[in-house]
Amino acid sequence: MAMTTLAVHAQASKWDAPVSESAMVRLIRGLIESGTLTKDVGEALLAQAQTEAMAAQHAQRQAASATGASANALQPAAGDVRVPYIPQTVRDEIRNDIKGEVMAQAKAEGWAAPNETPEWTQRIRFEGDLRVRSESRFFSEGNSNEIVGYAAINEGNGYDVNTNSTAGFPPLLNTRQNRKNQLRARARIGLAVDISDATKAGVRLASGSDDSPVSTTQTLGGGLGKKNVWLDQAWLSHKPYDWLTITGGRFANPFVSTDLLFSSDLNLDGIALQYQKPLPSNRDVELFGTVGIVPLEYSSDNFPSRSLDKASSEVKWLLGVQAGASWKVDERNRLRGALAYYDFRNVNGRLSSPCALYAGAEACSTDWARPAFMQKGNTLMMLRDIMLNPNDPANTAQPQYFGLASKFQLLDLNMRWDAKVAGAYGLRLDANFVRNLAYDKDAMFRRARGGIINNYAANAPLVPTQADFQSGGNAYMLQATLGKPSPAARGDWNILAGYKRIEPDAMPDGYNDSSFHLGGTNARGYYIGGSYAIDKNTWFTGRWMSTKEVYGAPYQIDMLQLEFNARF
């Protein structure tokens, strides 16, 4: 607007400065009255115009003083009337300049354009996805029908292992009856906010049949009852430097991993520090790293609730550290590799101190050691050292809980190669190897004091020995994907094939993919699938999995999943 004021002075007489100010004011008022300017914007422009006019008048007086002219000579004599002349072209120019500047400011700040939103709303983003799935599960007729559901036992009041009790069978998994065409759905919607250039926050809600950490899929039906919605994410992040991000709360898995170890639906609680920076000497090579501190479970403050003496505080942790690099070899090839170490602390089971449940004790000292969430496959041990009633030892109730017999300190090697083949087709090869460095068969039996209760050979006697025990601490996955790994545009497609082998104690069984062998460890098998996008961010997916046990009783599962997906 300063240029507009100078244009007026250039075409008006030397008497016009004060009058031009009034003309400018009248012009702005006219634009306000016509609706071209809002009142608050117009008032701001009036103040600016008056300030510029005063500055111009002051400059004119200084110029007159420099030439020796009297400042009063610049003022009209008493009774004189000065009528300035401002050509129409100048008036049009002033109006267009003001309108252009104001509208540009309005568009940039989002406060006056009728079709624009306020600036603060531009810092908020909504995103989400929907999935409808038909799932069929096919079980072999040769499967054992004695696969115990230990997770259900741990969620209840324990299972009485006294052979003289009338407790009946423990909870058993379905292993022989097919389940066809189960309709399931997943819905997730999230809100992300750019609080500033360095600070961000996010909240996401998700569906789910329960509070499982590894699945947000909701089984439909249930008498057409309403479905649950869970808090899936709630996080706050800050970037003190371009290469460092600090995140706290409940957030997406920050580690580079596959669903061999961590389900794609898994979110972590706690704090994560992420490093990411290209090499100064070679911008095609980027280094990255992550440190995570994750509280898996806190013991209850009031445990045992009906006892004067409370148990000490016991916290289960996941401490993770990862380092890796990605390399753009050329326009057709990219490599990525990552090495991680995960220390699951305080998650293994512990035998309790002698526990007199028959005398009215509410709980035993290590009941807290049973996992908060488990799928199946890990080697388990009995947690309670239950004292027998001396008056009736044969019929003393012995309700047991079960904990993890192994410790878990995982070495995770993850590799990926992206390439272009046969012209422009994408090819992705993934490999993942996990080794439980803490796996020790002898230490597990010493810890359990003979109370190991699963992962014995299929033909083991009724009272198995340590020689009948079968387990292992390794897991690996190989997968090839041809096409677009994540379909986005109409016509995008991919096909994939892979193989997994997960020994019983290669990892905690509670956190990996819940579809492969219906989740957990002690599983091996192949899977194939493909996707095709029928519209923008809308695609169909089909997947077939065929799995069986690594050790122990026969347990074969085939699964077909057909999905309709969309994201926004």
Side-chain angles (χ1 to χ4, degrees):
M1 294 195 202
M3 293 183 65
T4 302
T5 304
L6 291 175
V8 174
H9 282 288
Q11 299 190 46
S13 69
K14 65 181 180 180
W15 307 103
D16 291 344
V19 184
S20 295
E21 177 188 352
S22 298
M24 178 72 75
V25 170
R26 286 198 299 273
L27 178 58
I28 294 174
R29 292 189 190 282
L31 292 174
I32 295 174
E33 293 174 0
S34 67
T36 303
L37 298 176
T38 60
K39 184 178 178 180
D40 54 344
V41 176
E43 289 177 350
L45 292 174
L46 283 174
Q48 183 176 349
Q50 290 168 351
T51 301
E52 291 178 352
M54 292 176 62
Q57 187 176 19
H58 179 69
Q60 188 178 28
R61 289 177 176 173
Q62 286 183 328
S65 175
T67 58
S70 171
N72 292 330
L74 298 176
Q75 303 298 329
D80 288 348
V81 176
R82 302 295 185 185
V83 180
Y85 171 71
I86 302 178
Q88 184 63 40
T89 56
V90 177
R91 298 181 186 179
D92 293 341
E93 182 183 352
I94 294 172
R95 181 179 66 252
N96 293 335
D97 285 348
I98 294 175
K99 183 177 180 180
E101 292 176 10
V102 171
M103 295 308 292
Q105 183 180 4
K107 184 175 182 179
E109 298 181 1
W111 46 257
N115 296 322
E116 296 290 338
T117 57
E119 181 273 337
W120 62 270
T121 64
Q122 299 176 16
R123 295 184 283 108
I124 298 177
R125 304 181 306 281
F126 286 93
E127 56 187 20
D129 59 81
L130 296 170
R131 181 180 70 198
V132 179
R133 170 190 289 174
S134 172
E135 182 172 291
S136 298
R137 305 170 184 175
F138 305 96
F139 299 93
S140 170
E141 294 181 355
N143 285 349
S144 169
N145 61 353
E146 299 179 3
I147 307 297
V148 177
Y150 291 103
I153 295 176
N154 281 343
E155 291 172 359
N157 295 319
Y159 174 71
D160 190 351
V161 297
N162 186 345
T163 57
N164 292 331
S165 74
T166 57
F169 290 116
L172 299 173
L173 301 180
N174 171 38
T175 60
R176 295 183 179 178
Q177 297 301 319
N178 296 337
R179 293 291 184 263
K180 299 180 181 179
N181 301 319
Q182 289 185 318
L183 287 181
R184 314 186 78 195
R186 182 181 74 178
R188 301 185 296 190
I189 184 167
L191 168 70
V193 182
D194 295 332
I195 299 174
S196 69
D197 291 341
T199 304
K200 304 180 188 300
V203 176
R204 188 171 77 179
L205 303 178
S207 58
S209 295
D210 51 38
D211 61 353
S212 162
V214 294
S215 176
T216 52
T217 301
Q218 171 72 57
T219 300
L220 303 181
L224 303 184
K226 298 181 181 68
K227 310 309 177 186
N228 293 327
V229 175
W230 304 87
L231 180 63
D232 195 38
Q233 293 184 3
W235 53 268
L236 188 66
S237 72
H238 180 70
K239 295 187 68 170
Y241 308 100
D242 290 341
W243 46 268
L244 178 64
T245 301
I246 304 171
T247 305
R250 180 172 175 80
F251 42 83
N253 175 16
F255 298 101
V256 173
S257 63
T258 71
D259 61 11
L260 176 75
L261 177 60
F262 293 136
S263 166
S264 58
D265 276 357
L266 180 69
N267 294 293
L268 301 183
D269 303 342
I271 299 173
L273 286 76
Q274 293 174 276
Y275 170 89
Q276 188 172 6
K277 190 174 184 180
L279 278 179
S281 58
N282 186 351
R283 307 294 292 184
D284 290 333
V285 177
E286 183 175 74
L287 303 180
F288 60 86
T290 302
V291 175
I293 304 173
V294 179
L296 297 173
E297 185 181 358
Y298 298 103
S299 59
S300 172
D301 286 346
N302 301 318
F303 174 77
S305 61
R306 292 183 296 172
S307 174
L308 296 175
D309 298 322
K310 304 302 180 183
S312 61
S313 176
E314 300 287 350
V315 182
K316 300 176 183 180
W317 296 95
L318 164 58
L319 306 179
V321 59
Q322 183 178 66
S326 59
W327 177 29
K328 180 182 177 181
V329 181
D330 53 39
E331 294 301 323
R332 301 178 64 86
N333 293 276
R334 294 174 182 267
L335 292 173
R336 188 192 69 189
L339 181 65
Y341 175 76
Y342 302 106
D343 187 2
F344 291 83
R345 295 195 173 183
N346 214 22
V347 301
N348 59 280
R350 299 181 187 180
L351 190 64
S352 73
S353 58
C355 185
L357 294 176
Y358 75 90
E362 177 190 4
C364 298
S365 60
T366 60
D367 285 357
W368 59 267
R370 65 189 190 272
F373 179 79
M374 58 190 298
Q375 298 188 92
K376 62 183 185 299
N378 284 157
T379 301
L380 301 177
M381 58 175 280
M382 291 186 286
L383 296 178
R384 289 174 161 180
D385 183 7
I386 300 174
M387 299 174 62
L388 301 181
N389 186 342
N391 298 321
D392 191 8
N395 295 309
T396 301
Q398 301 178 46
Q400 275 289 353
Y401 286 132
F402 303 93
L404 306 181
S406 179
K407 293 184 177 183
F408 294 94
Q409 298 170 354
L410 309 186
L411 186 67
D412 177 25
L413 177 61
N414 193 301
M415 301 293 294
R416 170 173 288 177
W417 175 39
D418 282 302
K420 295 291 185 182
V421 297
Y425 294 109
L427 175 63
R428 171 173 289 180
L429 300 178
D430 287 293
N432 191 192
F433 174 77
V434 177
R435 168 67 181 174
N436 179 12
L437 302 177
Y439 174 74
D440 186 328
K441 174 181 174 179
D442 293 335
M444 292 163 64
F445 272 83
R446 288 195 301 271
R447 191 176 300 116
R449 298 182 191 174
I452 297 292
I453 47 84
N454 66 335
N455 289 333
Y456 291 103
N459 58 351
L462 292 178
V463 183
T465 65
Q466 186 169 344
D468 301 310
F469 178 71
Q470 294 180 320
S471 186
N474 297 323
Y476 67 86
M477 181 203 79
L478 299 171
Q479 178 177 302
T481 306
L482 180 66
K484 292 288 185 66
S486 299
R490 182 175 182 177
D492 286 353
W493 59 271
N494 67 53
I495 55 174
L496 62 85
Y499 182 85
K500 295 180 184 178
R501 177 186 167 93
I502 314 172
E503 294 178 343
D505 295 303
M507 61 192 67
D509 65 27
Y511 305 114
N512 63 2
D513 178 33
S514 61
S515 292
F516 186 82
H517 204 61
L518 292 178
T521 62
N522 195 16
R524 59 190 170 99
Y526 71 89
Y527 54 95
I528 57 175
S531 299
Y532 182 81
I534 62 171
D535 202 351
K536 178 181 179 182
N537 290 328
T538 307
W539 69 99
F540 284 105
T541 295
R543 187 181 302 109
W544 173 265
M545 288 171 275
S546 182
T547 64
K548 60 175 60 177
E549 78 292 342
V550 177
Y551 301 116
Y555 188 24
Q556 180 175 337
I557 308 171
D558 294 336
M559 181 181 291
L560 174 65
Q561 295 176 337
L562 301 175
E563 300 174 352
F564 183 35
N565 299 271
R567 58 172 170 257
F568 53 91

